[in-house]
Every structure is written in structure tokens, then in C-alpha cells.
Amino acid sequence: MTTGLLVFQSDFGKSDGAVSAMHGVANSVQRGIPIFEITHQIPQYNIWEASYRLLQSIGYWPSETVFVSIVDPGVGSDRRAVVAKTANDQYIITPDNGTLTHVKQFIDITEVRIIDESKNRLPNSGESHTFHGRDIFAYTGARLASGVIQFEEVGPSVEPSTVVALPLKMSTIADEIITGIVDIIDRPFGNLWTNISRLQFKEITEKHGDSIEVSITTDGRTIYNNIMTFGRSFADLHIGEPLVYVNSLDNIGIAINQGSFADAYRVGTGTNWEVVIRKAPRIVYE
């Protein structure tokens, strides 16, 4: 039995009525259903960021919470509409287009069902093929969260291994050099969140104040290469100074104190944005 909690995320923004329409559909299923948001500010069509934001958020919600994630450039095509049950007994309702990538890798998906639109679609919406967020995902999410249907009534079961996954790269360490990627931009601040874990980073240094050499490359071009400080917090540095720090997901972040690193160097996200970190060589003055 689900908890009744329904959590939305999308790339819709808040400039029109799309999000409100999804709230309305959910309330038509059960008036007063508790609805929350992860974000509706995911960059349009950015499936990678949708996937990461789920990983960033769902671990702080109770089991049985129902999440609806809609970044759907293939809306109306033959891509599947699914409900995935995680190893933590949460449910994610989404297009099967890669949005489940990070959850599948780092949390695990135990069961998947394809949404049977003949039973789980907003009545009288069958001729519309461009707003599945409202007509299929929000409607099914509300029905599942409110207990109108159980997970087994969503539709036919499929193997979790068939879920579409985007390419991932794991961070590596060799000869005290750590190589990872920029997983996401910490908006609106513009900090870079990498996939390099704190435990990996501790293999090259544990002391706040140490100097760290950071290199960022993409498509064979070096975007940034410099020495910065390992800070405990932003307050350890002067305004405008760069730092390496441990972020709220226990991974390594890269920032400019009270500035946007991403905007300053036009850094993007994903597997083609490589980050190399090493302890800076000690300079001996003679």
C-alpha cells in the first residue's frame, strides 16, 4: 500500500499551465492528494539531468512514495511508459527513455510494469498524443499513490534489465590521480558536482587547506586547469576563489566562492565532461 505521497518533476517550467494541469488531474483522482515537487526547471529534453535529479532526491523520501518524472522528447512515439519499483520500495512513473539510468545503477530497480493505457489513462484524452505527463503519468501516479490501483494493476510486467539506460562512466583512481565526470550543475549557484566520491578523494588527501590540481576537458579540449584549495566550506575561501569541497551527496564538488564556476568556464554535464583531480605538487623555494 502506498503512502499517498505524490512527487512531480519535469522540464515544463512554471510559465504556463502544464504543471497546474497535472495537479488538477491528480486532484480529480483524489481531492487533496499530497503533491510535492522535485523541480520543473530541468533543461528542456535533458534526460540525463532528469535521471540525476531522481537519484539526488528520492533517497530522502519514505518508502511507497510515488514519483512522476516527465522529460519526454519522444512523447507520442513508441517509447514505453513504465512504472519502476525500486529496491527501497518506491515507485517511479516515467517514459522509458533513460530517465531511470542513475536509479537503476546506484539504487536498483526490482520490478517494472508497462502502463496499460486502456485502463490507466485520463478519460476522454485518447486522441491527444502530446501531453502524456498529464494524461498518463500524472493520472496513473495519482491512482497508484491514492490506492485506487495497486502496482500489479498498472500493466504487464517486464524485466528490469530491459529498462533503457544512458551510458555511464564510473570514476577511477590510479597513481593518486582521480578521473571522473561532471555529473550535474548545482543550480542556481553554478557549482560542478562530480561523480568522484569522498572516499576516493581521501586516498589522495584528507586535510582541508591542501592544494589540489583540477583539470576539466571535453571533446579533447582543456577547458580548465588550475590549482585550488580543498575547503571544508565556502567560508574557508575569499570571495571569488575556487575550491574543491565535499557536496551534500558525499561526492566532490568544484566551485567559486559566491560565483558560478559553470558559467565562468561554460562547463556542461555528462560523460564527455571529464574531471581529473590530483594533489598539487609541493613547491620548494630555494
Side-chain angles (χ1 to χ4, degrees):
M1 186 68 179
T2 57
T3 60
L5 300 179
L6 183 61
V7 184
F8 288 139
Q9 80 165 8
S10 76
D11 59 352
F12 296 162
K14 289 289 190 76
S15 62
D16 67 4
V19 173
S20 177
M22 294 196 300
H23 281 240
V25 165
N27 274 275
S28 73
V29 172
Q30 177 179 293
R31 187 174 298 234
I33 186 172
I35 302 174
F36 305 89
E37 327 285 348
I38 296 175
T39 180
H40 293 288
Q41 300 303 131
I42 292 171
Q44 277 69 41
Y45 320 119
N46 193 324
I47 296 169
W48 174 276
E49 184 155 332
S51 175
Y52 190 89
R53 295 302 180 197
L54 285 172
L55 176 67
Q56 179 185 358
S57 304
I58 69 174
Y60 299 97
W61 288 85
S63 62
E64 307 298 323
T65 300
V66 175
F67 299 88
V68 175
S69 178
I70 310 140
V71 175
D72 194 13
V75 62
S77 69
D78 59 359
R79 62 95 183 95
R80 301 187 301 187
V82 299
V83 183
K85 185 176 182 180
T86 75
N88 297 330
D89 293 326
Q90 297 168 322
Y91 300 92
I92 302 171
I93 301 177
T94 185
D96 183 23
N97 59 8
T99 298
L100 294 168
T101 297
H102 288 85
V103 170
K104 182 179 180 181
Q105 177 68 35
F106 298 105
I107 295 177
D108 196 20
I109 293 171
T110 58
E111 296 181 65
V112 178
R113 291 184 177 272
I114 298 175
I115 297 174
D116 182 349
E117 294 183 29
S118 68
K119 300 176 182 177
N120 294 299
R121 184 180 178 121
L122 183 68
N124 303 315
S125 69
E127 295 303 314
S128 174
H129 302 286
T130 59
F131 198 178
H132 288 179
R134 176 195 65 196
D135 300 336
I136 298 174
F137 299 117
Y139 182 70
T140 303
R143 281 161 60 82
L144 183 61
S146 63
V148 172
I149 60 171
Q150 300 302 306
F151 179 58
E152 292 74 20
E153 298 174 89
V154 165
S157 177
V158 294
E159 285 295 321
S161 61
T162 67
V163 167
V164 174
L166 304 174
L168 280 174
K169 281 186 180 179
M170 300 297 108
S171 56
T172 60
I173 183 168
D175 299 325
E176 297 189 320
I177 299 172
I178 308 174
T179 302
I181 64 170
V182 180
D183 255 338
I184 208 76
I185 306 299
D186 178 26
R187 296 292 184 189
F189 303 104
N191 306 329
L192 313 185
W193 281 14
T194 76
N195 67 340
I196 297 169
S197 72
R198 175 180 56 85
L199 294 178
Q200 280 182 319
F201 188 74
K202 284 176 64 177
E203 293 188 39
I204 64 171
T205 187
E206 296 187 30
K207 184 181 175 183
H208 293 120
D210 280 349
S211 295
I212 305 298
E213 183 179 352
V214 175
S215 178
I216 301 171
T217 60
T218 185
D219 298 326
R221 296 180 295 115
T222 298
I223 304 301
Y224 181 88
N225 182 256
N226 212 337
I227 307 296
M228 60 181 69
T229 302
F230 174 34
R232 186 180 64 86
S233 69
F234 300 105
D236 288 351
L237 282 298
H238 296 296
I239 293 174
E241 285 189 302
L243 71 150
V244 174
Y245 68 101
V246 178
N247 70 16
S248 59
L249 294 185
D250 212 28
N251 285 342
I252 296 304
I254 301 167
I256 296 172
N257 186 20
Q258 297 189 33
S260 171
F261 198 104
D263 290 344
Y265 298 100
R266 298 183 179 181
V267 178
T269 62
T271 55
N272 63 326
W273 284 89
E274 185 176 89
V275 178
V276 176
I277 291 177
R278 72 188 82 197
K279 193 169 182 178
R282 187 175 182 180
I283 300 175
V284 178
Y285 296 97
E286 297 181 354

